[in-house]
Amino acid sequence: MVNVLCSLLVCGLVLVSAEQLKDGDVLQDYQRLTGLRSLGVEFAEHFRNASLTDLDLFQSRIPSQDDLLCLEDMAQFMQALTAGKLWALRMIDAWGSIPSGLLYGNLVNFGNFDECIQISKEITSSHSINGKYCFLNVSFSSLPQYVSLLTNQYKIASCFPTSCSAATMNALLEQLMQKILNSNSINIQIREDSCQTSESKPWGGMTIFTVVLLGLMGTIVGLCTLYDYFLCPDQSSIPVTVKIFSARASSRAIFRIVDSKSNPNVISCLDGIRCMSLFWVVLGHGVGYSAGNPNINKLRTVLWLEEPFSNFILYAYFAVDSFFFIGGLLVAMVVLRSMEKSKGKLNVPMMYLHRFIRITPILAVAILVYVNLITVVADGPLGYIEYSDKEACEKGWFWTLLFVQNYATSNACLGHAWYLAVDMQLYIISPLLLIALYKWGKKAAAGIVVLLLLVTTCLFVTMMVNNESMLTKNGSKGGDGLDVYGSTHTHAGPWLTGFLFGYFLHLNRGRKFQLGRIIVWSGWLLSLAMIFTSIFAMYPASKFRAPPLTILEESLYYTLTRVGWPLALCWIVFACMQGHGGLADSFLSSPLWQPLSRLSYSVYIWHMFTLEVNSRILRTNTYFSNYNLMLNFWSVIGITVLMSYVLYIIIEAPFGGLDNLLRTRQPRAPSEQKPSSVDVQQDQLNDGRNLDEPEEPKEEATTTVSE
């Protein structure tokens, strides 16, 4: 998404420079382009009667057998075209043409992908001519200034016989451009890696392994589900192994609704906050992909950046701060309550082990799926494009599984998994803070406040020293933004704020505060003011023609909102718990959020897969608008939730069940023989994955914060 926003910055410069253009700057090359008919027709007419001598392709080398086969197929193609054969006409018809709207950023013409690759004409019993779909990269040595700032290339689809290599076709196209335009200012090249045919690429070893792994897990889940459904009428007597892998049991855990009113320890509004934050993350990433798609109104994306609605996207990183806030709150509340019951005992190694077992398997499977299956699933003109992080995953996948990629490498595998690394690192240091709070209470809390001030100061100093700017229009001014965005110490503020708030709730659990109407209204006004200030404070300065802010002003904004945002969430949670939430509490605490909350970790992991596939299956240009953004968002949510449910059943739930087995084998004090809400939530990932033991209804009713 960062790369997309940088491209939008370039678009902004485009618009600014466009104001200084004169009509004469555009006219010459534009007339040359618009004077062309369909490139396929131009190609066919030019080479229809050309002989091998006329083509003069092999002055510098002796033609190979493949070259001769290509020319033979081209001769067959031209004869069939002259005779009006349907397959030859389809090969020309599948070509793209110079797109309309060039000056508005329409940079791609897809032609007709399926028409091209489905062409298959049997010439002899041993040889057929098949269609080969390739992109022509049309570049210009002289372009209007504001267009050249955006790009110096257009992509236009072409269709050739599969026997013709990109090198051979490039030689033919060079002659065509010289003949038609009599100019060297326009160059056309084909890259072999952009070409596709009807033949699927052979699967590599890791692709086969990924498919076999998913198939094996799916088969085990299917068999256990059938055993559960047909052979276990008494649910209390289901074998443990069957219970772990049964989709029936896992589905009951996902879709059950827990009455929060029956347990005073429940913080039901966290479900709504978690799900709304998840929606915000998906929307932000989705807009980034939509802006990078081949839109017919590419320059419209720049104007969109100056609309108020765009601030909800540009500052969607506050949704991640909400996750960190929830994570710190849950760790403090759940573990402190557990330590209180065990008289201060905390098994730190097992705490880490449970956490690792919970979140690593689905992450490891995600790496396999992203790297190996995107090009298998995605079928379209852009389907040849590999996963953007594939090279990083092949070289450094272990950094991601060790949760240190945000510091170990600048090119991380699964870019959006940086959040998991930061969260894990904060979780690793949490026992120190928990033990300190248990032993020294409020004195330790005061020390954590000092730590919060230190990390906030560190963020401020980092931005000042590196001259970091988070405004889109400033692009990569100063650093590359990684020091600010991906580092653990810069995100510790929201987590520590949630941690301290969790300690406050732990000390005051079950207590009812008497708040007057003025205090309640003041709390809500201040909370909403901090939320909307965080989102919209930079709106006037974000306009491309607005005077730039000083680095001091930007640093103060970014630093203070890192504290202001979680403080606003503190009030929302507190007000909802105390019965002063009103409509907000009714919305955020709705039981309808509970199933999605349990799937939120899977949705977070897999939503980028849906976006990656969607960007590759496009057959036509897209149109960038707020309405289309919302349509795309809901389609991505729907597909991702379905995908997340399936993978939760076959990957996440079984490993979660194994972890629960491991937990139940640990010795308990007599007072802890029955699993409590503390036991259920101790190792919960703060992005909303439900780790409850789903099989026992009586135990389900005791779950609290994680629900």
PDB file of all heavy atoms in Angstrom, residues 138-163:
ATOM      1  N   VAL A 138       4.478  -0.029 -24.836  1.00  0.00           N
ATOM      2  CA  VAL A 138       4.645   1.086 -25.768  1.00  0.00           C
ATOM      3  C   VAL A 138       5.245   2.242 -24.995  1.00  0.00           C
ATOM      4  O   VAL A 138       4.610   2.806 -24.098  1.00  0.00           O
ATOM      5  CB  VAL A 138       3.299   1.496 -26.394  1.00  0.00           C
ATOM      6  CG1 VAL A 138       3.504   2.574 -27.443  1.00  0.00           C
ATOM      7  CG2 VAL A 138       2.607   0.280 -26.997  1.00  0.00           C
ATOM      8  N   SER A 139       6.469   2.604 -25.327  1.00  0.00           N
ATOM      9  CA  SER A 139       7.153   3.691 -24.629  1.00  0.00           C
ATOM     10  C   SER A 139       7.437   4.826 -25.601  1.00  0.00           C
ATOM     11  O   SER A 139       7.513   4.634 -26.814  1.00  0.00           O
ATOM     12  CB  SER A 139       8.452   3.196 -23.994  1.00  0.00           C
ATOM     13  OG  SER A 139       9.306   2.634 -24.966  1.00  0.00           O
ATOM     14  N   PHE A 140       7.610   6.006 -25.035  1.00  0.00           N
ATOM     15  CA  PHE A 140       7.753   7.221 -25.830  1.00  0.00           C
ATOM     16  C   PHE A 140       8.985   7.978 -25.365  1.00  0.00           C
ATOM     17  O   PHE A 140       9.244   8.107 -24.163  1.00  0.00           O
ATOM     18  CB  PHE A 140       6.529   8.124 -25.667  1.00  0.00           C
ATOM     19  CG  PHE A 140       5.229   7.446 -25.987  1.00  0.00           C
ATOM     20  CD1 PHE A 140       4.568   6.708 -25.028  1.00  0.00           C
ATOM     21  CD2 PHE A 140       4.686   7.538 -27.247  1.00  0.00           C
ATOM     22  CE1 PHE A 140       3.367   6.077 -25.310  1.00  0.00           C
ATOM     23  CE2 PHE A 140       3.496   6.909 -27.544  1.00  0.00           C
ATOM     24  CZ  PHE A 140       2.840   6.173 -26.578  1.00  0.00           C
ATOM     25  N   SER A 141       9.724   8.491 -26.320  1.00  0.00           N
ATOM     26  CA  SER A 141      10.862   9.338 -25.969  1.00  0.00           C
ATOM     27  C   SER A 141      10.432  10.762 -25.685  1.00  0.00           C
ATOM     28  O   SER A 141      11.114  11.505 -24.998  1.00  0.00           O
ATOM     29  CB  SER A 141      11.892   9.324 -27.108  1.00  0.00           C
ATOM     30  OG  SER A 141      11.290   9.782 -28.320  1.00  0.00           O
ATOM     31  N   SER A 142       9.284  11.145 -26.215  1.00  0.00           N
ATOM     32  CA  SER A 142       8.758  12.488 -25.928  1.00  0.00           C
ATOM     33  C   SER A 142       7.275  12.364 -25.641  1.00  0.00           C
ATOM     34  O   SER A 142       6.519  11.826 -26.433  1.00  0.00           O
ATOM     35  CB  SER A 142       8.982  13.423 -27.122  1.00  0.00           C
ATOM     36  OG  SER A 142       8.338  12.925 -28.278  1.00  0.00           O
ATOM     37  N   LEU A 143       6.891  12.805 -24.453  1.00  0.00           N
ATOM     38  CA  LEU A 143       5.511  12.745 -24.010  1.00  0.00           C
ATOM     39  C   LEU A 143       5.136  14.081 -23.388  1.00  0.00           C
ATOM     40  O   LEU A 143       6.000  14.823 -22.935  1.00  0.00           O
ATOM     41  CB  LEU A 143       5.339  11.653 -22.957  1.00  0.00           C
ATOM     42  CG  LEU A 143       4.978  10.239 -23.420  1.00  0.00           C
ATOM     43  CD1 LEU A 143       4.903   9.329 -22.216  1.00  0.00           C
ATOM     44  CD2 LEU A 143       3.681  10.212 -24.179  1.00  0.00           C
ATOM     45  N   PRO A 144       3.864  14.393 -23.318  1.00  0.00           N
ATOM     46  CA  PRO A 144       3.463  15.535 -22.516  1.00  0.00           C
ATOM     47  C   PRO A 144       4.023  15.392 -21.104  1.00  0.00           C
ATOM     48  O   PRO A 144       4.022  14.300 -20.529  1.00  0.00           O
ATOM     49  CB  PRO A 144       1.930  15.449 -22.525  1.00  0.00           C
ATOM     50  CG  PRO A 144       1.607  14.695 -23.765  1.00  0.00           C
ATOM     51  CD  PRO A 144       2.727  13.742 -23.977  1.00  0.00           C
ATOM     52  N   GLN A 145       4.479  16.500 -20.546  1.00  0.00           N
ATOM     53  CA  GLN A 145       5.192  16.445 -19.276  1.00  0.00           C
ATOM     54  C   GLN A 145       4.385  15.772 -18.182  1.00  0.00           C
ATOM     55  O   GLN A 145       4.880  14.926 -17.451  1.00  0.00           O
ATOM     56  CB  GLN A 145       5.580  17.860 -18.847  1.00  0.00           C
ATOM     57  CG  GLN A 145       6.381  17.885 -17.548  1.00  0.00           C
ATOM     58  CD  GLN A 145       6.689  19.288 -17.097  1.00  0.00           C
ATOM     59  OE1 GLN A 145       6.221  20.243 -17.692  1.00  0.00           O
ATOM     60  NE2 GLN A 145       7.465  19.405 -16.042  1.00  0.00           N
ATOM     61  N   TYR A 146       3.118  16.107 -18.067  1.00  0.00           N
ATOM     62  CA  TYR A 146       2.348  15.559 -16.965  1.00  0.00           C
ATOM     63  C   TYR A 146       2.033  14.091 -17.153  1.00  0.00           C
ATOM     64  O   TYR A 146       1.818  13.357 -16.196  1.00  0.00           O
ATOM     65  CB  TYR A 146       1.060  16.363 -16.751  1.00  0.00           C
ATOM     66  CG  TYR A 146      -0.017  16.159 -17.781  1.00  0.00           C
ATOM     67  CD1 TYR A 146      -1.101  15.348 -17.510  1.00  0.00           C
ATOM     68  CD2 TYR A 146       0.044  16.793 -19.019  1.00  0.00           C
ATOM     69  CE1 TYR A 146      -2.105  15.165 -18.445  1.00  0.00           C
ATOM     70  CE2 TYR A 146      -0.952  16.618 -19.946  1.00  0.00           C
ATOM     71  CZ  TYR A 146      -2.023  15.807 -19.660  1.00  0.00           C
ATOM     72  OH  TYR A 146      -3.009  15.637 -20.578  1.00  0.00           O
ATOM     73  N   VAL A 147       2.056  13.598 -18.430  1.00  0.00           N
ATOM     74  CA  VAL A 147       1.867  12.167 -18.659  1.00  0.00           C
ATOM     75  C   VAL A 147       3.166  11.412 -18.392  1.00  0.00           C
ATOM     76  O   VAL A 147       3.173  10.339 -17.793  1.00  0.00           O
ATOM     77  CB  VAL A 147       1.375  11.911 -20.101  1.00  0.00           C
ATOM     78  CG1 VAL A 147       1.242  10.421 -20.356  1.00  0.00           C
ATOM     79  CG2 VAL A 147       0.058  12.617 -20.341  1.00  0.00           C
ATOM     80  N   SER A 148       4.303  11.985 -18.806  1.00  0.00           N
ATOM     81  CA  SER A 148       5.578  11.304 -18.585  1.00  0.00           C
ATOM     82  C   SER A 148       5.917  11.211 -17.115  1.00  0.00           C
ATOM     83  O   SER A 148       6.622  10.302 -16.683  1.00  0.00           O
ATOM     84  CB  SER A 148       6.694  12.033 -19.336  1.00  0.00           C
ATOM     85  OG  SER A 148       6.838  13.361 -18.857  1.00  0.00           O
ATOM     86  N   LEU A 149       5.422  12.135 -16.296  1.00  0.00           N
ATOM     87  CA  LEU A 149       5.619  12.017 -14.854  1.00  0.00           C
ATOM     88  C   LEU A 149       4.875  10.814 -14.305  1.00  0.00           C
ATOM     89  O   LEU A 149       5.312  10.174 -13.351  1.00  0.00           O
ATOM     90  CB  LEU A 149       5.139  13.293 -14.145  1.00  0.00           C
ATOM     91  CG  LEU A 149       6.076  14.499 -14.197  1.00  0.00           C
ATOM     92  CD1 LEU A 149       5.383  15.716 -13.632  1.00  0.00           C
ATOM     93  CD2 LEU A 149       7.362  14.229 -13.440  1.00  0.00           C
ATOM     94  N   LEU A 150       3.746  10.507 -14.892  1.00  0.00           N
ATOM     95  CA  LEU A 150       2.953   9.366 -14.437  1.00  0.00           C
ATOM     96  C   LEU A 150       3.556   8.053 -14.922  1.00  0.00           C
ATOM     97  O   LEU A 150       3.725   7.105 -14.170  1.00  0.00           O
ATOM     98  CB  LEU A 150       1.525   9.512 -14.950  1.00  0.00           C
ATOM     99  CG  LEU A 150       0.525   8.444 -14.537  1.00  0.00           C
ATOM    100  CD1 LEU A 150       0.329   8.479 -13.029  1.00  0.00           C
ATOM    101  CD2 LEU A 150      -0.800   8.657 -15.253  1.00  0.00           C
ATOM    102  N   THR A 151       3.901   7.991 -16.191  1.00  0.00           N
ATOM    103  CA  THR A 151       4.523   6.802 -16.765  1.00  0.00           C
ATOM    104  C   THR A 151       5.051   7.155 -18.141  1.00  0.00           C
ATOM    105  O   THR A 151       4.626   8.130 -18.752  1.00  0.00           O
ATOM    106  CB  THR A 151       3.514   5.646 -16.890  1.00  0.00           C
ATOM    107  OG1 THR A 151       4.202   4.486 -17.373  1.00  0.00           O
ATOM    108  CG2 THR A 151       2.389   5.976 -17.834  1.00  0.00           C
ATOM    109  N   ASN A 152       5.998   6.372 -18.619  1.00  0.00           N
ATOM    110  CA  ASN A 152       6.442   6.534 -20.006  1.00  0.00           C
ATOM    111  C   ASN A 152       6.089   5.304 -20.826  1.00  0.00           C
ATOM    112  O   ASN A 152       6.646   5.069 -21.877  1.00  0.00           O
ATOM    113  CB  ASN A 152       7.949   6.795 -20.056  1.00  0.00           C
ATOM    114  CG  ASN A 152       8.755   5.603 -19.561  1.00  0.00           C
ATOM    115  OD1 ASN A 152       8.200   4.707 -18.935  1.00  0.00           O
ATOM    116  ND2 ASN A 152      10.048   5.596 -19.832  1.00  0.00           N
ATOM    117  N   GLN A 153       5.170   4.496 -20.310  1.00  0.00           N
ATOM    118  CA  GLN A 153       4.787   3.282 -21.012  1.00  0.00           C
ATOM    119  C   GLN A 153       3.281   3.067 -20.954  1.00  0.00           C
ATOM    120  O   GLN A 153       2.635   3.405 -19.970  1.00  0.00           O
ATOM    121  CB  GLN A 153       5.479   2.049 -20.403  1.00  0.00           C
ATOM    122  CG  GLN A 153       6.914   1.865 -20.822  1.00  0.00           C
ATOM    123  CD  GLN A 153       7.433   0.493 -20.450  1.00  0.00           C
ATOM    124  OE1 GLN A 153       6.776  -0.248 -19.732  1.00  0.00           O
ATOM    125  NE2 GLN A 153       8.598   0.137 -20.958  1.00  0.00           N
ATOM    126  N   TYR A 154       2.770   2.524 -22.050  1.00  0.00           N
ATOM    127  CA  TYR A 154       1.404   2.009 -22.092  1.00  0.00           C
ATOM    128  C   TYR A 154       1.489   0.511 -22.336  1.00  0.00           C
ATOM    129  O   TYR A 154       2.437   0.021 -22.947  1.00  0.00           O
ATOM    130  CB  TYR A 154       0.598   2.672 -23.207  1.00  0.00           C
ATOM    131  CG  TYR A 154       0.375   4.145 -23.012  1.00  0.00           C
ATOM    132  CD1 TYR A 154       1.232   5.081 -23.580  1.00  0.00           C
ATOM    133  CD2 TYR A 154      -0.704   4.602 -22.261  1.00  0.00           C
ATOM    134  CE1 TYR A 154       1.031   6.427 -23.395  1.00  0.00           C
ATOM    135  CE2 TYR A 154      -0.911   5.952 -22.080  1.00  0.00           C
ATOM    136  CZ  TYR A 154      -0.037   6.865 -22.643  1.00  0.00           C
ATOM    137  OH  TYR A 154      -0.236   8.201 -22.453  1.00  0.00           O
ATOM    138  N   LYS A 155       0.500  -0.219 -21.865  1.00  0.00           N
ATOM    139  CA  LYS A 155       0.436  -1.660 -22.095  1.00  0.00           C
ATOM    140  C   LYS A 155      -0.741  -1.948 -23.010  1.00  0.00           C
ATOM    141  O   LYS A 155      -1.867  -1.542 -22.717  1.00  0.00           O
ATOM    142  CB  LYS A 155       0.273  -2.417 -20.771  1.00  0.00           C
ATOM    143  CG  LYS A 155       1.515  -2.427 -19.890  1.00  0.00           C
ATOM    144  CD  LYS A 155       1.288  -3.270 -18.653  1.00  0.00           C
ATOM    145  CE  LYS A 155       2.524  -3.334 -17.788  1.00  0.00           C
ATOM    146  NZ  LYS A 155       3.648  -4.024 -18.446  1.00  0.00           N
ATOM    147  N   ILE A 156      -0.456  -2.626 -24.108  1.00  0.00           N
ATOM    148  CA  ILE A 156      -1.483  -2.962 -25.090  1.00  0.00           C
ATOM    149  C   ILE A 156      -1.379  -4.449 -25.396  1.00  0.00           C
ATOM    150  O   ILE A 156      -0.280  -4.978 -25.636  1.00  0.00           O
ATOM    151  CB  ILE A 156      -1.315  -2.140 -26.376  1.00  0.00           C
ATOM    152  CG1 ILE A 156      -1.410  -0.642 -26.055  1.00  0.00           C
ATOM    153  CG2 ILE A 156      -2.365  -2.527 -27.406  1.00  0.00           C
ATOM    154  CD1 ILE A 156      -1.099   0.252 -27.233  1.00  0.00           C
ATOM    155  N   ALA A 157      -2.506  -5.133 -25.385  1.00  0.00           N
ATOM    156  CA  ALA A 157      -2.516  -6.573 -25.603  1.00  0.00           C
ATOM    157  C   ALA A 157      -2.236  -6.916 -27.058  1.00  0.00           C
ATOM    158  O   ALA A 157      -2.589  -6.167 -27.978  1.00  0.00           O
ATOM    159  CB  ALA A 157      -3.859  -7.152 -25.183  1.00  0.00           C
ATOM    160  N   SER A 158      -1.610  -8.060 -27.245  1.00  0.00           N
ATOM    161  CA  SER A 158      -1.368  -8.570 -28.595  1.00  0.00           C
ATOM    162  C   SER A 158      -1.594 -10.079 -28.585  1.00  0.00           C
ATOM    163  O   SER A 158      -1.635 -10.713 -27.529  1.00  0.00           O
ATOM    164  CB  SER A 158       0.061  -8.263 -29.051  1.00  0.00           C
ATOM    165  OG  SER A 158       0.997  -8.916 -28.213  1.00  0.00           O
ATOM    166  N   CYS A 159      -1.728 -10.658 -29.772  1.00  0.00           N
ATOM    167  CA  CYS A 159      -1.985 -12.089 -29.894  1.00  0.00           C
ATOM    168  C   CYS A 159      -1.212 -12.636 -31.084  1.00  0.00           C
ATOM    169  O   CYS A 159      -1.381 -12.149 -32.213  1.00  0.00           O
ATOM    170  CB  CYS A 159      -3.483 -12.344 -30.057  1.00  0.00           C
ATOM    171  SG  CYS A 159      -3.965 -14.085 -29.968  1.00  0.00           S
ATOM    172  N   PHE A 160      -0.364 -13.640 -30.844  1.00  0.00           N
ATOM    173  CA  PHE A 160       0.494 -14.230 -31.867  1.00  0.00           C
ATOM    174  C   PHE A 160       0.414 -15.751 -31.786  1.00  0.00           C
ATOM    175  O   PHE A 160      -0.073 -16.301 -30.794  1.00  0.00           O
ATOM    176  CB  PHE A 160       1.960 -13.825 -31.651  1.00  0.00           C
ATOM    177  CG  PHE A 160       2.211 -12.355 -31.714  1.00  0.00           C
ATOM    178  CD1 PHE A 160       2.596 -11.651 -30.573  1.00  0.00           C
ATOM    179  CD2 PHE A 160       2.080 -11.672 -32.895  1.00  0.00           C
ATOM    180  CE1 PHE A 160       2.847 -10.300 -30.628  1.00  0.00           C
ATOM    181  CE2 PHE A 160       2.330 -10.317 -32.962  1.00  0.00           C
ATOM    182  CZ  PHE A 160       2.714  -9.626 -31.825  1.00  0.00           C
ATOM    183  N   PRO A 161       0.936 -16.427 -32.772  1.00  0.00           N
ATOM    184  CA  PRO A 161       1.109 -17.873 -32.648  1.00  0.00           C
ATOM    185  C   PRO A 161       2.104 -18.205 -31.538  1.00  0.00           C
ATOM    186  O   PRO A 161       3.076 -17.473 -31.324  1.00  0.00           O
ATOM    187  CB  PRO A 161       1.645 -18.289 -34.024  1.00  0.00           C
ATOM    188  CG  PRO A 161       1.168 -17.219 -34.957  1.00  0.00           C
ATOM    189  CD  PRO A 161       1.189 -15.962 -34.154  1.00  0.00           C
ATOM    190  N   THR A 162       1.877 -19.289 -30.833  1.00  0.00           N
ATOM    191  CA  THR A 162       2.731 -19.646 -29.705  1.00  0.00           C
ATOM    192  C   THR A 162       4.162 -19.964 -30.123  1.00  0.00           C
ATOM    193  O   THR A 162       5.079 -19.916 -29.301  1.00  0.00           O
ATOM    194  CB  THR A 162       2.161 -20.873 -28.972  1.00  0.00           C
ATOM    195  OG1 THR A 162       1.962 -21.933 -29.920  1.00  0.00           O
ATOM    196  CG2 THR A 162       0.848 -20.549 -28.305  1.00  0.00           C
ATOM    197  N   SER A 163       4.377 -20.275 -31.350  1.00  0.00           N
ATOM    198  CA  SER A 163       5.729 -20.609 -31.811  1.00  0.00           C
ATOM    199  C   SER A 163       6.629 -19.391 -31.909  1.00  0.00           C
ATOM    200  O   SER A 163       7.852 -19.531 -32.020  1.00  0.00           O
ATOM    201  CB  SER A 163       5.656 -21.304 -33.175  1.00  0.00           C
ATOM    202  OG  SER A 163       4.999 -20.464 -34.110  1.00  0.00           O
TER     203      SER A 163
END
